Amino acid sequence: MNKATEKTTQQLESIVAAPMRAYAAKTLDYCDQMLSAQVDAARAYSDFSVAQMRTWLDVKDADSMKKAAESQQKAATDLMERFKGDAEKMNALSQSFFQDSQKLAEDSLKSVTEATQKAAS
């Protein structure tokens, strides 16, 4: 009876518990990376906003107004590039997580199939 219990425990570990832990670890890593990317982006956007506000605070005459407007145009271009880069980074993280999750599911299904075939024979 003890060997049967041990075998069942091992099967549950390999078929259920191990894949669940692996998926939970992947999910935690994904959430950590995505949160980090979002915090970095938020920090960059707030730094950008503060810098632009400071530029406009320095406007005192027509020449400084012209420089501030030119700075605004360059900053808008830089910000759009940052948005694009951040979107690409987050998309890559999501794609990687999806692919890793899909592989874990396939591996888990393979383990279940193998265990079922062993039990049937």
Side-chain angles (χ1 to χ4, degrees):
M1 179 92 163
N2 197 13
K3 285 190 176 197
T5 303
E6 186 176 316
K7 184 176 179 180
T8 302
T9 302
Q10 288 174 346
Q11 287 176 336
L12 282 173
E13 170 64 27
S14 66
I15 294 171
V16 178
M20 286 176 60
R21 275 194 300 278
Y23 181 74
K26 288 285 180 197
T27 301
L28 183 59
D29 288 344
Y30 168 72
C31 290
D32 181 44
Q33 292 170 353
M34 188 63 81
L35 182 61
S36 179
Q38 290 171 343
V39 168
D40 289 346
R43 182 65 186 175
Y45 303 150
S46 80
D47 289 348
F48 165 82
S49 297
V50 170
Q52 286 306 299
M53 286 183 241
R54 291 190 191 286
T55 298
W56 286 103
L57 285 174
D58 290 338
V59 171
K60 294 179 179 123
D61 55 24
D63 189 45
S64 60
M65 175 77 146
K66 181 181 174 189
K67 287 180 182 177
E70 290 169 355
S71 171
Q72 187 78 30
Q73 288 176 345
K74 182 182 178 338
T77 301
D78 293 347
L79 185 61
M80 290 309 294
E81 286 298 314
R82 175 67 196 231
F83 282 149
K84 181 181 173 191
D86 289 341
E88 289 170 353
K89 181 179 183 178
M90 289 181 199
N91 186 43
L93 286 171
S94 295
Q95 287 295 324
S96 177
F97 175 70
F98 173 75
Q99 291 168 352
D100 290 348
S101 297
Q102 190 173 24
K103 176 140 178 37
L104 284 172
E106 290 169 359
D107 292 347
S108 179
L109 181 60
K110 184 178 175 184
S111 294
V112 169
T113 303
E114 289 172 358
T116 304
Q117 288 173 347
K118 283 181 183 178
S121 54

